Amino acid sequence: LNMKLSWLMLYAEILFLNPVTADCKVTSKIVTCDESGKKLHTIPISLYQNVTKLSLNNNKITLNDTDRKVLQRLTNLTELYLNENIITVLYNNSFYNLAKLTILDISNNYITTVHHAAFVGLSQLSKLNLFHNYITQLDSDVFTSLKSLTVLNLQDNLLKTFHIKSPFKLITIVLAGNPWNCSCDLLDLQKWLTTFNVTMENENSTVCTFPKTEKSISIRTAVIRTTDCGLKKKSSVTTVTSTSANKLKSFASQTLLASSSNVTGNNRTQAELPLLGKSWTFLGGVLGFVLGTTLLIFTAIKCPTWYRYLISYRHRRLEENDSEMFEQEFSADMNSFPNASGTNDEHSIVIFEKTHAFVPEDDGFIEDKYIDTHEIPEES
């Protein structure tokens, strides 16, 4: 009895920790859960964590954040079927942590956008089915992380081009049912199909829709004029050049005027005329700017020195009125003293001129201007 109770408790513990839905089957190491046609809006959380094959087709799953978190727990998944749901966008890391997954079916959904890192982490994925969606643009960079990918189904989408930026190896690819535009944008896909010898299923129905001259012709054998592609590349380069030239309108206008005058004088086409370079004009502008800036800095530095030099020497000429008043005062003072022998008015005037012309340095003594410079004889 005790043995039976212990086994029952152990079984209940297993069921509690690893709940199993009614539609899951466990056979040896393979756990298959079929949750198709149940109108599920999200992936069930109660799925057995060791499930290896999961079918969720014909539901209303959107593959939102909650669904992606549930999938990250199912690390033993090898096959995942999400076909016939309402998925619209494959976000980055949508299938992260599913390193053992080999088959992924997302066909018959409403996918319009596939993010760059949508399939990151699927290192063992060999078959990817994106049949019957609404994908309008797709680059090969999306599949670069799928090192083991061998079969890719892109049938019945809205692809006009398929850019092969970085080559990846495939065995089989399905591209039928897309409105392919067999122009220069499809040239890299055509070369990739030929170079790697990839098997393209339904090749006869994988035909061009545009242009009309190549309509209903297989995209592998459609004639794409490489000369036209070269012209388009040159025109794109010219567009980029003209856009950058608009930033230097002054230089561009001078160049265009010079080119138009040469065309008129020589009756040549614009392609035959040599383009005038802007290097000398640009160099002259730079030199003028440097010299002007240097002159302004030099003037700003030297201006205070010149100002101090001019303000330190302020020579002002005496006015006529000041000199007459000074002579009158001086003559009045001289008349108050007795005349010395051998002196006269002329001598006094001469003495005044010499005294006024020569100003000795200040030696600290106070000189009385009323004292005559000649010795006055002492009275006996």
Side-chain angles (χ1 to χ4, degrees):
L1 183 61
N2 291 331
M3 288 290 295
K4 291 182 179 180
L5 288 174
S6 61
W7 279 108
L8 287 173
M9 291 179 64
L10 182 62
Y11 185 69
E13 184 178 358
I14 293 173
L15 289 176
F16 180 76
L17 295 176
N18 299 299
V20 181
T21 59
D23 294 325
C24 289
K25 297 179 181 179
V26 180
T27 58
S28 63
K29 295 182 180 180
I30 300 174
V31 181
T32 304
C33 293
D34 189 358
E35 296 292 323
S36 58
K38 293 186 177 181
K39 297 182 181 180
L40 300 174
H41 289 81
T42 58
I43 299 176
I45 302 176
S46 60
L47 288 173
Y48 193 69
Q49 292 186 4
N50 290 331
V51 62
T52 57
K53 182 179 178 180
L54 178 60
S55 296
L56 294 168
N57 58 302
N58 194 18
N59 284 291
K60 296 182 180 180
I61 296 172
T62 59
L63 202 61
N64 54 23
D65 292 337
T66 304
D67 295 334
R68 292 195 292 271
K69 290 179 181 179
V70 173
L71 287 177
Q72 289 179 9
R73 296 171 51 248
L74 309 177
T75 56
N76 291 322
L77 268 181
T78 59
E79 297 181 23
L80 177 59
Y81 299 90
L82 290 169
N83 49 309
E84 298 181 25
N85 281 278
I86 55 173
I87 302 172
T88 58
V89 180
L90 292 180
Y91 294 99
N92 291 333
N93 302 315
S94 293
F95 308 98
Y96 183 74
N97 210 29
L98 302 181
K100 297 180 181 180
L101 194 67
T102 58
I103 299 176
L104 177 59
D105 189 350
I106 328 176
S107 61
N108 290 287
N109 277 273
Y110 299 88
I111 300 173
T112 58
T113 305
V114 180
H115 287 192
H116 182 75
F119 303 111
V120 169
L122 302 179
S123 56
Q124 300 297 322
L125 190 68
S126 60
K127 295 181 180 181
L128 176 60
N129 190 358
L130 291 170
F131 167 80
H132 195 74
N133 279 284
Y134 296 90
I135 304 172
T136 57
Q137 186 176 359
L138 198 61
D139 294 334
S140 62
D141 291 345
V142 177
F143 309 108
T144 52
S145 60
L146 306 178
K147 304 298 182 182
S148 303
L149 189 64
T150 57
V151 179
L152 176 61
N153 191 341
L154 295 173
Q155 184 176 347
D156 289 347
N157 278 276
L158 300 176
L159 292 171
K160 293 182 180 180
T161 60
F162 183 36
H163 297 285
I164 309 293
K165 292 182 179 179
S166 54
F168 64 103
K169 295 182 180 180
L170 285 178
I171 297 176
T172 305
I173 190 169
V174 187
L175 299 172
N178 287 279
W180 296 109
N181 186 359
C182 295
S183 61
C184 297
D185 293 333
L186 202 68
L187 187 61
D188 52 356
L189 173 61
Q190 194 178 74
K191 290 181 178 179
W192 176 75
L193 290 171
T194 306
T195 303
F196 292 92
N197 197 20
V198 181
T199 301
M200 186 169 60
E201 290 188 359
N202 304 323
E203 183 173 348
N204 294 330
S205 59
T206 310
V207 295
C208 305
T209 305
F210 306 99
K212 293 182 179 179
T213 55
E214 301 295 326
K215 190 174 183 179
S216 301
I217 299 176
S218 174
I219 63 172
R220 188 194 288 269
T221 59
V223 178
I224 300 176
R225 296 180 181 180
T226 56
T227 55
D228 295 340
C229 299
L231 290 175
K232 288 186 177 180
K233 289 182 180 179
K234 288 181 180 179
S235 63
S236 63
V237 172
T238 304
T239 304
V240 173
T241 305
S242 62
T243 303
S244 61
N246 289 333
K247 297 179 182 180
L248 301 172
K249 292 182 179 179
S250 59
F251 299 116
S253 60
Q254 295 175 2
T255 304
L256 290 173
L257 289 174
S259 300
S260 61
S261 63
N262 289 335
V263 170
T264 305
N266 299 328
N267 294 326
R268 295 180 181 178
T269 59
Q270 187 176 357
E272 294 175 352
L273 288 174
L275 295 176
L276 295 178
K278 304 183 184 67
S279 58
W280 288 107
T281 307
F282 179 76
L283 181 60
V286 172
L287 289 176
F289 176 78
V290 172
L291 291 176
T293 306
T294 305
L295 182 60
L296 289 175
I297 295 173
F298 181 79
T299 304
I301 294 174
K302 291 297 182 181
C303 187
T305 306
W306 293 340
Y307 179 79
R308 288 195 298 269
Y309 176 78
L310 293 175
I311 204 65
S312 64
Y313 180 75
R314 298 181 62 186
H315 178 72
R316 184 175 65 86
R317 189 173 183 178
L318 291 174
E319 297 180 358
E320 293 182 359
N321 295 333
D322 295 341
S323 61
E324 290 177 1
M325 292 175 63
F326 188 76
E327 288 178 359
Q328 291 176 3
E329 290 178 1
F330 187 75
S331 61
D333 292 338
M334 291 298 294
N335 292 331
S336 64
F337 290 93
N339 291 331
S341 60
T343 61
N344 52 23
D345 294 335
E346 294 179 357
H347 290 159
S348 64
I349 295 172
V350 172
I351 292 169
F352 163 73
E353 291 177 353
K354 291 181 179 180
T355 304
H356 183 69
F358 176 73
V359 181
E361 295 180 358
D362 187 9
D363 54 358
F365 294 92
I366 301 174
E367 182 180 0
D368 191 352
K369 66 179 180 178
Y370 298 103
I371 300 175
D372 193 359
T373 58
H374 297 278
E375 290 182 0
I376 303 174
E378 296 179 0
E379 297 179 357
S380 57

